[in-house]
Amino acid sequence: MKESSVLKEAKNKLFLSLAEYQSLYQKLTKEFCEKKWGNLDSRKEKEEIFFFKIKKALNAEGFSFAELSKRSEEETAKEMKEVISKILQRMATKGNSSHKLQAVFSPLNFQRQFAPGGFRRSPQFELHLQNFSSLLLKFVRDSLVFHPSHVVFSNEAFGESRYPKDHEIETVILEGSQKENNSASFLKNRESVQVDRVLMGENYFLKVENNSFVSFTSHFSSIKEEEREEKSDFFCANRLPELLKKLKSEAGTREFSFAGDVNLYFFLDSKTERTLRPQVKKLLKEYNLVMIVPSGFVNKNIRPEIHEQWHKLKESFDTEVEACPDSMVVLEPYDKTFDYRRLAENGLSASQDIFFPDGNSFLSFLSCVREPFSKGFIMDHTPVRGRLVSILNGADGDGTGNSSKAFLEMVSSYTPSEEEFAKHLKAMKINVNTTCDFIKSLS
């Protein structure tokens, strides 16, 4: 059903309202984190108080759980209590990492009914569902051409059912850092392959050993964009030398490779050029490594269109592009006999920049901005392909690799009216205000 201009205007108003909620969530999170929740019994009392305050506020405005969630009063009440319990427990133990206050409102099914960002009923996601397995298989197959022992990694790995069935390719999925899954895909029965999960420092790494070399992947902790330059410089000068030393030690007598989403930048960047950080340049020469990163930029302001993660939404819901360098990287041994220009176009509309240990580089650096919809793929990051290892970020919307990245299914396929939008927004506002009042009432 085609949207009318009136409905589009209503959606714009909806986005502005959600943008206002973003500011409230930040304040709520800060205040929640500053509270001392005490023992479990005390928290149980708070859970009940919180629940009844929300229910009372909604009832006073003529809203029922059944009406808002499309489930029974009892089902919604049970779910809301469970959500509140989990959130308060998280606030008690996780400090300032708590950012899921939006979950208090999810039992009311607001986004599953109205999906302001599109989600599963979007044409792009339909294309993704249709083509994903075949495109993933093509990426893996094309990568294996470069070396028979090639390993294709994924951070936030796709669920087992999402990997293409192929009699020549084996995929191993293990838990990584941040309660997500990492995966490794490689040729079956070609040689002895061992896959392990190892802890080094604060991060878990997926380690793949074969007869030729040892490969690692890990997904580093998220860093705010405005902090990445300073923290990248510190990491490259202090932590990266330690990391490479550990990887070399873990690999023993064999060569090592690393591929992952580091949430850092190993290069200096501008809109027109890209150069290695001096510390990284020195390490590439010391370890005889090639570094491969995605060219161009990623549009970080795309989340309102594909995710329900309100805490990551910006203050503006217009189409302004927030162009940021990608944080995926491949580090692998340099082979002077290999033509690295073959890797510059990896088949997913994503060119790559390649830095060599002698200080030279092969730059296909582009000023273009990549959107997360690319030939049927929906991913947070650009895939990177090396000679020996490749890396995908599997936040593809099904949520199997990282549940917080899952798109929400629509409860129904009808296009909601402006009146329904307004009604649910009113209920959302009541919830936010009640939550604010509840926090203020705590001693």
Side-chain angles (χ1 to χ4, degrees):
M1 180 177 177
K2 190 175 180 180
E3 291 181 353
S4 68
S5 58
V6 176
L7 184 57
K8 287 182 179 178
E9 183 180 354
K11 282 194 174 185
N12 289 333
K13 291 179 180 178
L14 167 69
F15 286 161
L16 289 174
S17 298
L18 289 178
E20 293 171 356
Y21 290 152
Q22 162 67 6
S23 176
L24 283 172
Y25 279 123
Q26 292 174 344
K27 294 175 182 177
L28 287 174
T29 298
K30 183 176 185 296
E31 294 192 41
F32 259 108
C33 293
E34 291 173 350
K35 299 301 176 184
K36 305 298 182 183
W37 293 102
N39 57 41
L40 184 61
D41 292 338
S42 173
R43 192 163 64 243
K44 272 293 181 187
E45 288 182 19
K46 294 182 175 70
E47 292 168 12
E48 289 295 316
I49 294 172
F50 197 177
F51 170 76
F52 282 114
K53 279 182 175 292
I54 288 178
K55 185 174 183 180
K56 182 178 179 181
L58 287 172
N59 289 341
E61 296 294 331
F63 293 106
S64 68
F65 284 157
E67 178 187 19
L68 292 172
S69 70
K70 306 300 182 184
R71 295 187 294 272
S72 70
E73 290 279 312
E74 293 76 16
E75 289 174 324
T76 309
K78 180 181 178 182
E79 182 180 351
M80 184 165 280
K81 284 184 178 180
E82 290 175 352
V83 167
I84 289 172
S85 176
K86 290 177 182 177
I87 286 178
L88 297 192
Q89 186 172 14
R90 183 184 180 117
M91 300 307 173
T93 58
K94 294 295 184 181
N96 287 319
S97 69
S98 54
H99 57 265
K100 295 294 183 182
L101 283 169
Q102 67 185 54
V104 177
F105 314 106
S106 63
L108 295 181
N109 245 7
F110 177 80
Q111 285 189 291
R112 289 193 66 200
Q113 289 185 67
F114 300 108
F119 307 108
R120 287 186 182 269
R121 70 171 175 176
S122 69
Q124 293 96 329
F125 194 75
E126 287 299 320
L127 182 65
H128 167 78
L129 291 177
Q130 293 169 17
N131 299 336
F132 178 81
S133 290
S134 61
L135 286 169
L136 182 59
L137 178 59
K138 183 180 187 306
F139 183 84
V140 174
R141 280 189 171 281
D142 289 352
S143 300
L144 296 175
V145 167
F146 294 106
H147 196 283
S149 298
H150 194 105
V151 179
V152 178
F153 285 119
S154 174
N155 298 150
E156 297 185 321
F158 319 100
E160 187 173 352
S161 63
R162 302 290 281 146
Y163 283 90
K165 301 299 183 288
D166 188 281
H167 68 282
E168 295 182 339
I169 298 171
E170 181 176 353
T171 296
V172 177
I173 305 173
L174 294 176
E175 185 181 346
S177 301
Q178 306 180 66
K179 295 183 179 180
E180 68 181 39
N181 297 320
N182 290 326
S183 70
S185 299
F186 44 86
L187 283 176
K188 284 182 181 178
N189 306 320
R190 178 150 187 113
E191 57 185 334
S192 174
V193 178
Q194 183 176 345
V195 183
D196 295 306
R197 180 176 182 255
V198 296
L199 179 64
M200 286 188 282
E202 297 179 352
N203 291 327
Y204 277 99
F205 287 70
L206 194 63
K207 174 185 176 184
V208 178
E209 300 179 74
N210 54 39
N211 297 338
S212 305
F213 56 92
V214 184
S215 304
F216 302 87
T217 189
S218 186
H219 187 180
F220 293 3
S221 298
S222 182
I223 299 172
K224 293 180 180 179
E225 192 63 39
E226 59 268 24
E227 298 176 357
R228 285 195 180 185
E229 176 58 34
E230 180 181 351
K231 292 192 175 182
S232 294
D233 197 59
F234 177 83
F235 181 89
C236 291
N238 299 279
R239 298 285 185 260
L240 186 57
E242 297 174 5
L243 173 62
L244 295 182
K245 185 177 180 180
K246 288 179 181 177
L247 295 181
K248 182 176 176 61
S249 175
E250 189 77 23
T253 57
R254 284 168 288 185
E255 292 185 308
F256 72 89
S257 300
F258 171 82
D261 179 7
V262 295
N263 280 309
L264 296 158
Y265 302 137
F266 291 171
F267 49 84
L268 298 170
D269 191 74
S270 73
K271 302 298 182 186
T272 58
E273 61 182 353
R274 178 170 287 174
T275 57
L276 278 182
R277 292 179 185 274
Q279 311 96 314
V280 179
K281 187 175 182 179
K282 178 181 177 183
L283 290 169
L284 292 186
K285 182 177 181 180
E286 179 181 346
Y287 287 90
N288 194 37
L289 296 173
V290 173
M291 187 182 84
I292 308 169
V293 297
S295 299
F297 302 90
V298 177
N299 182 8
K300 292 288 188 178
N301 205 26
I302 199 69
R303 288 191 184 275
E305 295 184 21
I306 62 173
H307 285 306
E308 50 79 46
Q309 295 176 292
W310 296 344
H311 63 283
K312 291 188 176 180
L313 302 188
K314 306 301 179 184
E315 293 182 0
S316 171
F317 282 78
D318 56 26
T319 57
E320 181 182 353
V321 171
E322 183 187 353
C324 300
D326 208 317
S327 58
M328 304 289 272
V329 65
V330 163
L331 292 165
E332 61 179 26
Y334 173 57
D335 181 355
K336 64 181 180 180
T337 67
F338 182 73
D339 182 6
Y340 283 89
R341 288 176 297 180
R342 295 169 60 193
L343 302 174
E345 172 55 57
N346 68 20
L348 287 176
S349 299
S351 298
Q352 302 179 157
D353 296 330
I354 305 171
F355 300 90
F356 299 101
D358 61 3
N360 291 322
S361 60
F362 179 86
L363 302 181
S364 42
F365 181 69
L366 306 172
S367 60
C368 67
V369 177
R370 190 191 72 87
E371 302 290 357
F373 304 113
S374 176
K375 294 186 179 179
F377 272 105
I378 297 179
M379 297 183 184
D380 273 3
H381 297 272
T382 307
V384 183
R385 176 179 286 142
R387 180 179 69 93
L388 301 177
V389 291
S390 297
I391 180 69
L392 299 161
N393 182 288
D396 67 322
D398 63 12
T400 50
N402 185 335
S403 59
S404 68
K405 299 293 180 68
F407 293 7
L408 298 181
E409 286 194 64
M410 294 290 290
V411 172
S412 58
S413 59
Y414 73 93
T415 302
S417 67
E418 292 92 322
E419 289 77 16
E420 288 173 299
F421 271 120
K423 189 172 186 178
H424 266 70
L425 282 173
K426 184 177 180 181
M428 296 278 285
K429 185 175 181 180
I430 292 170
N431 284 352
V432 172
N433 290 339
T434 303
T435 305
C436 289
D437 293 340
F438 171 69
I439 293 174
K440 292 175 182 176
S441 70
L442 297 175
S443 57

mmCIF file of all heavy atoms in Angstrom, residues 115-139:
data_model
loop_
_atom_site.group_PDB
_atom_site.id
_atom_site.type_symbol
_atom_site.label_atom_id
_atom_site.label_comp_id
_atom_site.label_asym_id
_atom_site.label_seq_id
_atom_site.Cartn_x
_atom_site.Cartn_y
_atom_site.Cartn_z
ATOM 1 N N ALA A 115 6.838 0.198 12.993
ATOM 2 C CA ALA A 115 8.123 0.116 12.298
ATOM 3 C C ALA A 115 8.493 1.399 11.571
ATOM 4 O O ALA A 115 8.591 1.424 10.351
ATOM 5 C CB ALA A 115 8.118 -1.052 11.327
ATOM 6 N N PRO A 116 8.714 2.501 12.278
ATOM 7 C CA PRO A 116 9.005 3.764 11.607
ATOM 8 C C PRO A 116 10.267 3.725 10.761
ATOM 9 O O PRO A 116 10.440 4.526 9.857
ATOM 10 C CB PRO A 116 9.153 4.757 12.759
ATOM 11 C CG PRO A 116 9.489 3.914 13.944
ATOM 12 C CD PRO A 116 8.753 2.636 13.744
ATOM 13 N N GLY A 117 11.165 2.790 11.045
ATOM 14 C CA GLY A 117 12.396 2.714 10.268
ATOM 15 C C GLY A 117 12.344 1.752 9.108
ATOM 16 O O GLY A 117 13.331 1.582 8.413
ATOM 17 N N GLY A 118 11.233 1.075 8.905
ATOM 18 C CA GLY A 118 11.146 0.161 7.774
ATOM 19 C C GLY A 118 11.238 -1.288 8.203
ATOM 20 O O GLY A 118 10.281 -2.034 8.098
ATOM 21 N N PHE A 119 12.394 -1.729 8.705
ATOM 22 C CA PHE A 119 12.603 -3.074 9.195
ATOM 23 C C PHE A 119 12.215 -4.148 8.177
ATOM 24 O O PHE A 119 12.466 -4.018 6.996
ATOM 25 C CB PHE A 119 11.872 -3.283 10.530
ATOM 26 C CG PHE A 119 12.226 -2.235 11.539
ATOM 27 C CD1 PHE A 119 11.305 -1.267 11.883
ATOM 28 C CD2 PHE A 119 13.481 -2.186 12.120
ATOM 29 C CE1 PHE A 119 11.632 -0.280 12.802
ATOM 30 C CE2 PHE A 119 13.815 -1.203 13.029
ATOM 31 C CZ PHE A 119 12.890 -0.250 13.368
ATOM 32 N N ARG A 120 11.572 -5.194 8.620
ATOM 33 C CA ARG A 120 11.429 -6.390 7.797
ATOM 34 C C ARG A 120 10.481 -6.231 6.609
ATOM 35 O O ARG A 120 10.473 -7.072 5.725
ATOM 36 C CB ARG A 120 10.965 -7.571 8.655
ATOM 37 C CG ARG A 120 12.064 -8.109 9.560
ATOM 38 C CD ARG A 120 11.589 -9.359 10.259
ATOM 39 N NE ARG A 120 12.584 -9.873 11.171
ATOM 40 C CZ ARG A 120 13.513 -10.768 10.848
ATOM 41 N NH1 ARG A 120 13.565 -11.242 9.623
ATOM 42 N NH2 ARG A 120 14.378 -11.205 11.741
ATOM 43 N N ARG A 121 9.658 -5.226 6.590
ATOM 44 C CA ARG A 121 8.771 -5.121 5.437
ATOM 45 C C ARG A 121 9.365 -4.245 4.334
ATOM 46 O O ARG A 121 8.718 -3.999 3.323
ATOM 47 C CB ARG A 121 7.399 -4.586 5.845
ATOM 48 C CG ARG A 121 7.382 -3.119 6.251
ATOM 49 C CD ARG A 121 5.942 -2.665 6.422
ATOM 50 N NE ARG A 121 5.870 -1.308 6.922
ATOM 51 C CZ ARG A 121 4.747 -0.649 7.094
ATOM 52 N NH1 ARG A 121 3.599 -1.217 6.819
ATOM 53 N NH2 ARG A 121 4.744 0.577 7.566
ATOM 54 N N SER A 122 10.601 -3.799 4.504
ATOM 55 C CA SER A 122 11.212 -2.951 3.495
ATOM 56 C C SER A 122 11.630 -3.789 2.288
ATOM 57 O O SER A 122 12.015 -4.951 2.422
ATOM 58 C CB SER A 122 12.444 -2.238 4.062
ATOM 59 O OG SER A 122 13.475 -3.170 4.293
ATOM 60 N N PRO A 123 11.578 -3.224 1.100
ATOM 61 C CA PRO A 123 12.022 -3.953 -0.099
ATOM 62 C C PRO A 123 13.479 -4.393 0.003
ATOM 63 O O PRO A 123 13.847 -5.452 -0.491
ATOM 64 C CB PRO A 123 11.833 -2.928 -1.229
ATOM 65 C CG PRO A 123 10.822 -1.966 -0.707
ATOM 66 C CD PRO A 123 11.046 -1.893 0.776
ATOM 67 N N GLN A 124 14.319 -3.560 0.672
ATOM 68 C CA GLN A 124 15.729 -3.910 0.797
ATOM 69 C C GLN A 124 15.911 -5.183 1.613
ATOM 70 O O GLN A 124 16.744 -6.031 1.309
ATOM 71 C CB GLN A 124 16.513 -2.767 1.466
ATOM 72 C CG GLN A 124 16.594 -1.519 0.608
ATOM 73 C CD GLN A 124 15.508 -0.534 0.997
ATOM 74 O OE1 GLN A 124 14.423 -0.926 1.435
ATOM 75 N NE2 GLN A 124 15.778 0.746 0.817
ATOM 76 N N PHE A 125 15.113 -5.318 2.681
ATOM 77 C CA PHE A 125 15.267 -6.509 3.511
ATOM 78 C C PHE A 125 14.731 -7.745 2.785
ATOM 79 O O PHE A 125 15.271 -8.842 2.928
ATOM 80 C CB PHE A 125 14.550 -6.326 4.849
ATOM 81 C CG PHE A 125 14.963 -7.364 5.862
ATOM 82 C CD1 PHE A 125 16.188 -7.286 6.488
ATOM 83 C CD2 PHE A 125 14.136 -8.428 6.162
ATOM 84 C CE1 PHE A 125 16.584 -8.234 7.402
ATOM 85 C CE2 PHE A 125 14.520 -9.391 7.084
ATOM 86 C CZ PHE A 125 15.755 -9.291 7.695
ATOM 87 N N GLU A 126 13.688 -7.576 2.018
ATOM 88 C CA GLU A 126 13.174 -8.680 1.219
ATOM 89 C C GLU A 126 14.246 -9.167 0.244
ATOM 90 O O GLU A 126 14.450 -10.369 0.067
ATOM 91 C CB GLU A 126 11.913 -8.256 0.458
ATOM 92 C CG GLU A 126 10.689 -8.096 1.334
ATOM 93 C CD GLU A 126 10.306 -9.394 2.033
ATOM 94 O OE1 GLU A 126 10.386 -10.465 1.399
ATOM 95 O OE2 GLU A 126 9.952 -9.337 3.225
ATOM 96 N N LEU A 127 14.936 -8.214 -0.382
ATOM 97 C CA LEU A 127 16.025 -8.556 -1.293
ATOM 98 C C LEU A 127 17.136 -9.283 -0.551
ATOM 99 O O LEU A 127 17.704 -10.263 -1.041
ATOM 100 C CB LEU A 127 16.563 -7.278 -1.947
ATOM 101 C CG LEU A 127 17.678 -7.455 -2.981
ATOM 102 C CD1 LEU A 127 17.173 -8.208 -4.195
ATOM 103 C CD2 LEU A 127 18.224 -6.090 -3.401
ATOM 104 N N HIS A 128 17.423 -8.814 0.636
ATOM 105 C CA HIS A 128 18.439 -9.430 1.478
ATOM 106 C C HIS A 128 18.084 -10.876 1.803
ATOM 107 O O HIS A 128 18.914 -11.783 1.691
ATOM 108 C CB HIS A 128 18.585 -8.606 2.755
ATOM 109 C CG HIS A 128 19.356 -9.285 3.840
ATOM 110 N ND1 HIS A 128 20.726 -9.362 3.845
ATOM 111 C CD2 HIS A 128 18.951 -9.921 4.965
ATOM 112 C CE1 HIS A 128 21.122 -10.006 4.925
ATOM 113 N NE2 HIS A 128 20.065 -10.355 5.610
ATOM 114 N N LEU A 129 16.849 -11.118 2.201
ATOM 115 C CA LEU A 129 16.416 -12.474 2.555
ATOM 116 C C LEU A 129 16.511 -13.409 1.356
ATOM 117 O O LEU A 129 16.887 -14.579 1.502
ATOM 118 C CB LEU A 129 14.976 -12.435 3.079
ATOM 119 C CG LEU A 129 14.759 -11.751 4.435
ATOM 120 C CD1 LEU A 129 13.273 -11.728 4.778
ATOM 121 C CD2 LEU A 129 15.530 -12.461 5.538
ATOM 122 N N GLN A 130 16.205 -12.899 0.189
ATOM 123 C CA GLN A 130 16.204 -13.729 -1.013
ATOM 124 C C GLN A 130 17.619 -14.090 -1.462
ATOM 125 O O GLN A 130 17.879 -15.212 -1.902
ATOM 126 C CB GLN A 130 15.485 -12.999 -2.148
ATOM 127 C CG GLN A 130 13.995 -12.794 -1.934
ATOM 128 C CD GLN A 130 13.408 -11.840 -2.960
ATOM 129 O OE1 GLN A 130 14.009 -11.566 -3.992
ATOM 130 N NE2 GLN A 130 12.220 -11.320 -2.672
ATOM 131 N N ASN A 131 18.538 -13.132 -1.355
ATOM 132 C CA ASN A 131 19.845 -13.292 -1.989
ATOM 133 C C ASN A 131 20.989 -13.576 -1.021
ATOM 134 O O ASN A 131 22.109 -13.847 -1.451
ATOM 135 C CB ASN A 131 20.200 -12.026 -2.777
ATOM 136 C CG ASN A 131 19.212 -11.751 -3.882
ATOM 137 O OD1 ASN A 131 18.540 -12.651 -4.355
ATOM 138 N ND2 ASN A 131 19.113 -10.498 -4.282
ATOM 139 N N PHE A 132 20.715 -13.507 0.269
ATOM 140 C CA PHE A 132 21.807 -13.511 1.235
ATOM 141 C C PHE A 132 22.694 -14.747 1.128
ATOM 142 O O PHE A 132 23.908 -14.650 1.009
ATOM 143 C CB PHE A 132 21.265 -13.385 2.658
ATOM 144 C CG PHE A 132 22.346 -13.421 3.704
ATOM 145 C CD1 PHE A 132 23.077 -12.287 3.985
ATOM 146 C CD2 PHE A 132 22.657 -14.588 4.364
ATOM 147 C CE1 PHE A 132 24.095 -12.316 4.917
ATOM 148 C CE2 PHE A 132 23.675 -14.623 5.299
ATOM 149 C CZ PHE A 132 24.392 -13.487 5.566
ATOM 150 N N SER A 133 22.112 -15.934 1.187
ATOM 151 C CA SER A 133 22.920 -17.160 1.214
ATOM 152 C C SER A 133 23.769 -17.310 -0.036
ATOM 153 O O SER A 133 24.948 -17.692 0.039
ATOM 154 C CB SER A 133 22.015 -18.385 1.383
ATOM 155 O OG SER A 133 21.460 -18.414 2.670
ATOM 156 N N SER A 134 23.200 -17.008 -1.193
ATOM 157 C CA SER A 134 23.962 -17.151 -2.433
ATOM 158 C C SER A 134 25.105 -16.144 -2.495
ATOM 159 O O SER A 134 26.210 -16.460 -2.967
ATOM 160 C CB SER A 134 23.037 -16.997 -3.644
ATOM 161 O OG SER A 134 22.428 -15.719 -3.650
ATOM 162 N N LEU A 135 24.870 -14.914 -2.000
ATOM 163 C CA LEU A 135 25.926 -13.902 -2.005
ATOM 164 C C LEU A 135 27.024 -14.245 -1.001
ATOM 165 O O LEU A 135 28.211 -14.031 -1.258
ATOM 166 C CB LEU A 135 25.331 -12.530 -1.685
ATOM 167 C CG LEU A 135 24.528 -11.890 -2.823
ATOM 168 C CD1 LEU A 135 23.771 -10.675 -2.314
ATOM 169 C CD2 LEU A 135 25.439 -11.502 -3.967
ATOM 170 N N LEU A 136 26.616 -14.772 0.158
ATOM 171 C CA LEU A 136 27.602 -15.174 1.154
ATOM 172 C C LEU A 136 28.476 -16.305 0.613
ATOM 173 O O LEU A 136 29.705 -16.298 0.779
ATOM 174 C CB LEU A 136 26.899 -15.609 2.439
ATOM 175 C CG LEU A 136 27.801 -16.028 3.600
ATOM 176 C CD1 LEU A 136 28.729 -14.885 3.990
ATOM 177 C CD2 LEU A 136 26.962 -16.451 4.797
ATOM 178 N N LEU A 137 27.839 -17.287 -0.031
ATOM 179 C CA LEU A 137 28.598 -18.391 -0.624
ATOM 180 C C LEU A 137 29.567 -17.867 -1.689
ATOM 181 O O LEU A 137 30.710 -18.307 -1.756
ATOM 182 C CB LEU A 137 27.640 -19.413 -1.236
ATOM 183 C CG LEU A 137 28.295 -20.603 -1.943
ATOM 184 C CD1 LEU A 137 29.186 -21.378 -0.982
ATOM 185 C CD2 LEU A 137 27.235 -21.517 -2.547
ATOM 186 N N LYS A 138 29.108 -16.917 -2.497
ATOM 187 C CA LYS A 138 29.982 -16.354 -3.524
ATOM 188 C C LYS A 138 31.176 -15.638 -2.899
ATOM 189 O O LYS A 138 32.317 -15.778 -3.373
ATOM 190 C CB LYS A 138 29.196 -15.367 -4.402
ATOM 191 C CG LYS A 138 30.007 -14.788 -5.559
ATOM 192 C CD LYS A 138 29.181 -13.831 -6.393
ATOM 193 C CE LYS A 138 29.952 -13.382 -7.643
ATOM 194 N NZ LYS A 138 31.259 -12.813 -7.345
ATOM 195 N N PHE A 139 30.941 -14.886 -1.831
ATOM 196 C CA PHE A 139 32.042 -14.184 -1.169
ATOM 197 C C PHE A 139 33.067 -15.184 -0.628
ATOM 198 O O PHE A 139 34.275 -15.003 -0.784
ATOM 199 C CB PHE A 139 31.516 -13.314 -0.028
ATOM 200 C CG PHE A 139 32.584 -12.501 0.646
ATOM 201 C CD1 PHE A 139 32.982 -11.277 0.128
ATOM 202 C CD2 PHE A 139 33.212 -12.973 1.789
ATOM 203 C CE1 PHE A 139 33.984 -10.538 0.735
ATOM 204 C CE2 PHE A 139 34.215 -12.232 2.416
ATOM 205 C CZ PHE A 139 34.599 -11.013 1.881
#
